[in-house]
Amino acid sequence: MLPAPLTMEVRRGAIAQLGALLSDSRVATSGRVAVAVGVSQGDKIAEVIAPSLGEARVFRVPDGSVDAAVSLGADLRKGAYEAVIGIGGGKTIDATKYAASLAGIPMVAVATNLSHDGICSPVASLVHDGGKPSFGVPMPLAIMVDLDFVHDAPPALVRSGVGDVVSNLSAIEDWQLSNAERGEPIDGVAVSMARTAAEAVIGRGDSIESDAFLTVLAESLILSGMAMVVAGSSRPSSGGDHEILHAVDQLFPGTSNHGELAGVGAAFCFFLREDAQRLDQVTDCLRRHSLPVTPGDLGLTTEQFIAAVMLAPSTRPGRYTILEHLRLSETEVRTRVEDYVRAVGR
């Protein structure tokens, strides 16, 4: 049987209905539940949930670091909570996922923006020692997306989710390449889920202003996370595109955001594959949603992007992607990056 969340809801007013979810004895039997919220939206969220969650203890998560997650995990253990609800963006949800795993309790994810596919994934990306490593965690027990909060989130963060889910197409190509060249086992169900998620978004003509588009984007990001659960790794949603992303994070922290970096990484990897059709599809989609396409759009110089591409394979040792396959020298990387900018920049 495929793993699946207890419930998945994408709608307006979802947070206000948390009480109904928690009445399900599969989440909590005694009702002793903690709530974790981020700093920026914490007061507003606490006000909205108060009528349905009563005396639930609200913890503030200061950032998306390992230290913040470990601190929250210690509080959850001391309080003997049955479950924790993480409400917020990617940093808050990832920190809460890791804290819940440390405390040994289930976690409910309630997303207030759609910046990346971490809503449902079995991975928590947290800041630690100057980097942002990924930690394996159980997937959330239940998932909710509140479209009222998503509409209020910074548009750039919501659009970035498009870049992250579309990058699945590049990751799938890398997984299939590794299967052909290295004999790496490939999970067809996970591939199908990740591809379906990306294809559902890439061709749509509407955008984040409409509930219809946000619903599809939310479902696609959740499906992408479930593909990782099925695969047992991030393979169906993370390839050379994410290697470049992680290299940028290491070398030039604070550059853009996860989804925007993933989108540019995917476009560049399709350029390396000389797949003109997919390259056009991806870059057209990124432009349609006002997302970066070139290194300059990200705020990176050509030299910085070259450095990131050179470092990228070392960020995921053992993972085989188009970057490892081509094994480009620095001179060759420079030529490809410059050619890419000329081809897609306008």
Side-chain angles (χ1 to χ4, degrees):
M1 180 183 297
L2 294 178
L6 182 63
T7 186
M8 183 185 83
E9 294 188 41
V10 182
R11 60 187 176 86
R12 289 179 177 268
I15 290 178
Q17 302 302 315
L18 274 171
L21 170 63
L22 296 179
S23 66
D24 190 324
S25 60
R26 290 174 292 180
V27 178
T29 56
S30 69
R32 188 163 178 75
V33 174
V35 177
V37 299
V39 174
S40 62
Q41 294 179 313
D43 291 338
K44 182 178 179 181
I45 291 171
E47 181 180 339
V48 172
I49 66 174
S52 62
L53 294 187
E55 299 301 317
R57 173 74 184 275
V58 177
F59 293 93
R60 305 302 173 104
V61 180
D63 53 42
S65 66
V66 169
D67 289 344
V70 170
S71 177
L72 176 59
D75 288 334
L76 295 176
R77 285 196 302 273
K78 286 187 291 186
Y81 293 100
E82 288 186 277
V84 59
I85 305 169
I87 308 176
K91 293 178 182 178
T92 301
I93 287 178
D94 276 7
T96 306
K97 281 195 289 188
Y98 191 62
S101 71
L102 295 177
I105 60 176
M107 180 261 190
V108 174
V110 184
T112 59
N113 74 43
L114 302 174
S115 59
H116 60 73
D117 59 14
I119 303 169
C120 180
S121 75
V123 174
S125 297
L126 301 169
V127 176
H128 183 62
D129 287 343
K132 198 173 184 182
S134 297
F135 301 88
V137 294
M139 71 175 288
L141 180 66
I143 301 154
M144 303 177 82
V145 178
D146 193 313
L147 295 184
D148 288 325
F149 279 82
V150 172
H151 277 293
D152 290 339
L157 284 181
V158 181
R159 290 192 185 100
S160 71
V162 175
D164 201 18
V165 75
V166 166
S167 74
N168 287 2
L169 298 171
S170 174
I172 291 167
E173 292 287 338
D174 282 331
W175 200 4
Q176 292 174 331
L177 176 64
S178 183
N179 174 258
E181 295 291 326
R182 296 284 186 88
E184 180 184 351
I186 193 166
D187 189 307
V189 173
V191 167
S192 178
M193 294 170 75
R195 193 193 311 279
T196 297
E199 297 286 6
V201 169
I202 196 169
R204 289 187 68 100
D206 52 352
S207 190
I208 64 170
E209 294 77 17
S210 76
D211 281 5
F213 179 83
L214 290 178
T215 299
V216 170
L217 178 59
E219 291 171 347
S220 294
L221 292 170
I222 292 167
L223 187 60
S224 181
M226 292 179 66
M228 290 186 260
V229 176
V230 171
S233 74
S234 62
R235 206 43 160 130
S237 301
S238 174
D241 43 273
H242 274 59
E243 289 183 335
I244 293 171
L245 178 162
H246 293 303
V248 172
D249 278 344
Q250 286 186 32
L251 292 173
F252 315 108
T255 299
S256 197
N257 60 49
H258 183 99
E260 291 182 346
L261 291 168
V264 173
F268 181 68
C269 286
F270 277 120
F271 180 80
L272 292 180
R273 293 186 186 93
E274 300 181 1
D275 188 338
Q277 181 178 0
R278 274 300 192 198
L279 175 62
D280 287 346
Q281 283 183 315
V282 171
T283 55
D284 286 349
C285 178
L286 296 179
R287 287 195 179 94
R288 191 162 58 248
H289 294 284
S290 302
L291 290 167
V293 175
T294 67
D297 296 338
L298 293 168
L300 295 173
T301 66
T302 298
E303 294 298 326
Q304 288 174 322
F305 194 73
I306 291 168
V309 174
M310 291 300 298
L311 178 65
S314 69
T315 65
R316 288 293 180 270
R319 182 155 293 189
Y320 192 78
T321 76
I322 188 66
L323 301 177
E324 287 80 6
H325 181 68
L326 294 177
R327 297 168 59 187
L328 300 174
S329 67
E330 184 173 354
T331 299
E332 290 170 323
V333 168
R334 180 181 303 279
T335 299
R336 299 295 179 92
V337 170
E338 291 173 347
D339 288 347
Y340 170 76
V341 172
R342 280 193 292 268
V344 305
R346 62 172 185 246

